[in-house]
Amino acid sequence: MMILNGVCSSAIFCLMVILTSVQSAYATIYKCHIDGKLVLQDKECPEGVKQTMVNIDEKNPVANSSGSSHRNLLESYKHISEPVSYVSSLYGAQVNRAGSFTVSDIYNEVLFESLAGFVTFVEIRFKSTSPCSQSNYYNYAEYSRLLGLDITLMSKLSGTAHYANSFKDFKNRLKVTFMCPFDGSEYSASFSQSGFLNNQ
């Protein structure tokens, strides 16, 4: 059983090589439900915590971390005005008594808030920016592109704090705010429909 000039000398060995290479291209992610939050990690959940396993294609982590456009955390703002029960089911999360829930992966954490059963507010926190500082400059244009926002269709709002930049996003009809809420936290992007409509 050996490979000669790139050709397998055994059909069984060839099959084993193929299966091994395919398997190595995937990683197992554990979905853990901890204190009402959905946490995604590369190791098993703590004992007594509900977990489910998901195979991720490491060659295309962006497409597979989302599973679909609905589950892409960087596009989670698109769920605003949708039923919170439906949105939480997409992420496998549980809504708490306040009508909110949080989901996260190794890169981002997202807070969903709702009112009267519908998602009204989404905040995307970029873990790699922790700890952020209100005295630092953050390139909101780069984060806009990361989130799939068209900066040319956004109008900057005046009167915001020096550590925050707020916009009206006319394409998605949302108010978008990029900010470091306090020193030591994470730089974030928040979205609300009421802010757009009320010009706040």
Side-chain angles (χ1 to χ4, degrees):
M1 297 182 185
M2 56 187 301
I3 300 179
L4 301 175
N5 296 325
V7 180
C8 294
S9 61
S10 166
I12 295 178
F13 180 72
C14 286
L15 181 60
M16 292 176 61
V17 170
I18 293 172
L19 291 176
T20 301
S21 64
V22 171
Q23 184 177 10
S24 65
Y26 288 81
T28 299
I29 298 297
Y30 296 88
K31 297 170 64 176
C32 312
H33 299 267
I34 304 175
D35 297 330
K37 296 182 179 180
L38 177 65
V39 179
L40 306 182
Q41 58 189 40
D42 59 359
K43 59 183 179 180
E44 292 188 2
C45 304
E47 185 176 353
V49 173
K50 178 184 176 183
Q51 75 173 25
T52 54
M53 294 182 293
V54 180
N55 287 324
I56 303 297
D57 185 349
E58 293 179 322
K59 292 182 178 180
N60 192 8
V62 174
N64 287 275
S65 63
S66 62
S68 71
S69 59
H70 288 293
R71 298 184 188 178
N72 187 341
L73 295 187
L74 294 178
E75 295 183 347
S76 52
Y77 59 88
K78 294 183 178 180
H79 293 304
I80 288 180
S81 79
E82 294 182 355
V84 66
S85 58
Y86 165 72
V87 177
S88 62
S89 68
L90 292 176
Y91 293 94
Q94 296 178 343
V95 182
N96 61 27
R97 292 182 178 180
S100 63
F101 68 94
T102 304
V103 295
S104 65
D105 57 23
I106 60 176
Y107 302 109
N108 311 289
E109 181 177 66
V110 180
L111 167 67
F112 293 83
E113 294 182 354
S114 67
L115 182 65
F118 294 88
V119 175
T120 56
F121 177 86
V122 170
E123 181 182 52
I124 303 174
R125 303 160 184 162
F126 307 103
K127 291 183 177 181
S128 63
T129 63
S130 179
C132 70
S133 171
Q134 293 186 345
S135 62
N136 289 346
Y137 170 76
Y138 296 90
N139 191 337
Y140 58 79
E142 289 294 334
Y143 285 95
S144 296
R145 285 190 284 271
L146 178 66
L147 295 167
L149 302 174
D150 188 345
I151 197 73
T152 65
L153 299 177
M154 297 166 62
S155 174
K156 192 170 184 179
L157 299 175
S158 60
T160 55
H162 71 278
Y163 53 84
N165 293 280
S166 295
F167 301 84
K168 272 195 169 187
D169 177 2
F170 291 94
K171 179 179 179 180
N172 296 293
R173 296 185 62 78
L174 297 172
K175 178 185 177 183
V176 185
T177 298
F178 297 93
M179 67 182 297
C180 174
F182 57 89
D183 289 345
S185 60
E186 298 159 330
Y187 191 65
S188 65
S190 62
F191 303 80
S192 70
Q193 194 173 56
S194 60
F196 179 89
L197 298 175
N198 297 333
N199 196 27
Q200 297 176 347

